[in-house]
Amino acid sequence: MIDAVVLGETMMSLRSTGGWRLGSTATTSIAGAESTVAIGLSRLGHTTRWVGRVGADEPGELVLRTLRAEEVDTSAAVRDEDAPTGLILFEQRTPDVTRVLYHRRGSAGSRLTAQDALTGLTGGTRLLHVTGITPALGPGPLAAVHAAVDHVRESGGLVSFDVNHRSLLWSAREASRVLTPLARKASVLIGSPAELDLVGGGDHVVTKLGADGARVRTPDGSWTAPAYRVRVVDPVGAGDAFTAGYLSGVLDGLPPADCLARGNATGAFAVMTTGDWEGLPTRAELPLLDLDRGSTLR
Ligand SMILES: Nc1ncnc2c1ncn2[C@@H]1O[C@H](COP(=O)(O)OP(=O)(O)OP(=O)(O)O)[C@@H](O)[C@H]1O
Ligand SMILES: O=C(O)C(=O)C[C@H](O)[C@H](O)CO
């Protein structure tokens, strides 16, 4: 049995050094909320699988190759001959503000089916992680998320759900209508305060508070943990990085306060580096943030 399966769309990312309209140079990589969580968990030593569709094209090969290099299992991924891999363009205007532009309508990732999801769960998983992005991609991906969530719940596994509302994809009103029933099925519900307002509560709710850290409420109590004080280079992806750390703690059986601390650490690593997943820590690197200023890793 694998530790964690994630389901969703991963795109090729293009990150410009200046404005797109100026004809700047760009760096290619990959981006996808769920695959960032898979990479984060894999670096922390958990076995993970990514389930999704890419086009039968070079951006799709970049997605699969990158995930494989991060030891994320891609054996259930589908290469779709009839649609391209989606693209996401990042344009960082200030250290805190990054513009996002999608080229993903009709992408291979948006053709995900319930059957893809069930195939991806073959062999069983301890944890399924899904987000509110996939249901925004169309009826097929929405059905895939429901099928996966129902299957894992029936098998006794944990389901984590990060609301991840993407306003470029749909309105808050529509997101609330579609995501509330999914949030009810989650064992661990994660979001920002505004996102959690969209879907209502749950038994185990984790609130991401940016530079203020995070809090968790379970039937046993509530805990908060402050963020690490670090220099922010690129805040995009911090939420998914946090989720990877938090879920790693859950898989390790840690108490909620320790899960929060691990999530704050992985979130801090993400904001200190450019890119969503590139700076995520290995397990050996986790204590780095707790070293005194000026000390070195031996
Ligand atoms: N400025 C910061 N300094 C230190 N840690 C941070 C900072 N911003 C975010 N983090 C860490 O990352 C976690 C998630 O950040 P945030 O609440 O901004 O998520 P988010 O809104 O989902 O972000 P995004 O959608 O950009 O990925 C925080 O709970 C915290 O642990
Ligand atoms: O917006 C999406 O659909 C993504 O999956 C991209 C990520 O959310 C973005 O890179 C921040 O994590």
Side-chain angles (χ1 to χ4, degrees):
M1 177 171 302
I2 203 158
D3 289 334
V5 170
V6 307
L7 180 75
E9 178 168 24
T10 298
M11 298 160 281
M12 180 164 91
S13 69
L14 295 165
R15 193 176 294 275
S16 69
T17 50
W20 286 113
R21 64 174 63 190
L22 300 177
S24 341
T25 50
T27 313
T28 55
S29 182
I30 68 165
E34 303 83 1
S35 55
T36 295
V37 172
I39 291 171
L41 285 170
S42 177
R43 288 195 183 175
L44 292 172
H46 306 280
T47 52
T48 62
R49 178 181 301 144
W50 177 77
V51 181
R53 284 186 178 231
V54 293
D57 49 27
E58 289 300 303
E61 292 309 309
L62 172 67
V63 168
L64 297 180
R65 180 186 166 94
T66 305
L67 292 176
R68 283 198 307 269
E70 293 294 332
E71 296 180 42
V72 176
D73 177 4
T74 58
S75 59
V78 176
R79 286 183 181 83
D80 191 323
E81 299 283 342
D82 298 318
T85 303
L87 301 180
I88 181 168
L89 279 66
F90 295 109
E91 184 179 10
Q92 192 165 1
R93 296 298 294 153
T94 74
D96 289 329
V97 178
T98 299
R99 286 191 195 134
V100 172
L101 192 69
Y102 294 131
H103 283 264
R104 69 193 300 185
R105 191 165 300 158
S107 66
S110 65
R111 288 157 55 92
L112 189 73
T113 66
Q115 189 52 54
D116 294 340
L118 294 176
T119 303
L121 291 166
T122 307
T125 185
R126 293 175 59 204
L127 170 76
L128 169 73
H129 176 69
V130 290
T131 80
I133 299 172
T134 313
L137 303 179
L142 173 63
V145 173
H146 273 289
V149 167
D150 292 345
H151 180 84
V152 171
R153 272 169 54 108
E154 280 158 23
S155 325
L158 292 171
V159 173
S160 105
F161 179 71
D162 187 332
V163 182
N164 263 351
H165 176 232
R166 293 290 179 261
S167 56
L168 286 176
L169 296 178
W170 55 356
S171 68
R173 192 190 170 95
E174 184 64 358
S176 172
R177 186 182 69 74
V178 174
L179 299 183
T180 298
L182 269 171
R184 294 239 166 81
K185 295 182 185 176
S187 339
V188 182
L189 175 62
I190 306 171
S192 66
E195 289 173 337
L196 293 170
D197 280 348
L198 289 180
V199 298
D203 274 353
H204 184 148
V205 182
V206 183
T207 310
K208 295 178 284 187
L209 300 168
D212 290 329
R215 66 169 171 258
V216 58
R217 188 175 44 71
T218 75
D220 299 328
S222 298
W223 296 264
T224 57
Y228 285 86
R229 290 168 66 89
V230 295
R231 193 166 71 87
V232 178
V233 172
D234 171 21
V236 179
D240 305 317
F242 169 89
T243 295
Y246 189 89
L247 294 176
S248 164
V250 171
L251 286 168
D252 283 351
L254 299 184
D258 293 353
C259 296
L260 281 184
R262 190 173 290 180
N264 282 330
T266 47
F269 270 99
V271 301
M272 283 190 293
T273 46
T274 301
D276 292 356
W277 55 268
E278 286 86 340
L280 293 182
T282 61
R283 193 170 279 253
E285 289 171 328
L286 268 182
L288 274 179
L289 288 174
D290 294 319
L291 293 177
D292 285 337
R293 195 187 269 266
S295 60
T296 51
L297 184 66
R298 284 174 206 285

